Amino acid sequence: MSTHEEPVTYAPEEPARLRWAQHAPEVYKAMIQLDAVANQGLDPRLRELVKIRASQVNHCARCLDMHSKDALAAGESVERIIQLGAWEESRHFYTEKELAALELTDAITVLTDGFVPDEVYERAAKHFDEAELSQLIAAIAVINAWNRFGVTTRTPAGHYHPGQHK
């Protein structure tokens, strides 16, 4: 019996379909600026949880990689990041304010189910003042836009380091 283990061979990384930021640099710059202003006034950990959650729903590997790393750098726990995929079943990991933000994220991200329900909006409005709620909605809208660029162009995950631009 050998104690030698075979090396693990991973599937090859698929290249991006399109390097959209190179071909539409003004759009990319505008997205960076929009992202920066949308993030103002939001707690960094809450902001990253929301971005991870929207990216899970949208299946954006690049954004999941980026925002999980940014969340860890902001002091978020691995356990809470892991539980985001099942936040409704693991509510006890999050505050009521965070739960309201996650519920709002799901409602805004999956508009195919219809409008954002009044009760979801009202729950969020109980935990966020109007300025903070406006910023939260903006942050959710912007991460959904980033997700759409990432998923459409199949931007690969695994290369992001906290502190670098999108």
Side-chain angles (χ1 to χ4, degrees), residues 4 47 51 81 99 134:
H4 172 276
R47 181 181 69 226
K51 289 181 177 194
I81 293 170
L99 290 168
S134 297

Side-chain angles (χ1 to χ4, degrees), residues 37-67:
V37 295
N39 290 333
Q40 292 175 354
L42 291 176
D43 173 79
R45 289 175 49 190
L46 173 73
R47 181 181 69 226
E48 295 305 327
L49 290 176
V50 162
K51 289 181 177 194
I52 294 166
R53 180 60 191 149
S55 299
Q56 288 173 335
V57 172
N58 289 322
H59 306 282
C60 186
R62 166 78 167 138
C63 291
L64 280 169
D65 176 54
M66 175 184 298
H67 296 295

Side-chain angles (χ1 to χ4, degrees), residues 29 35 77 82 91 98 115 128 143:
K29 287 178 200 168
D35 194 52
S77 74
I82 291 169
R91 298 174 66 83
E98 290 167 337
F115 297 104
F128 297 90
I143 189 58

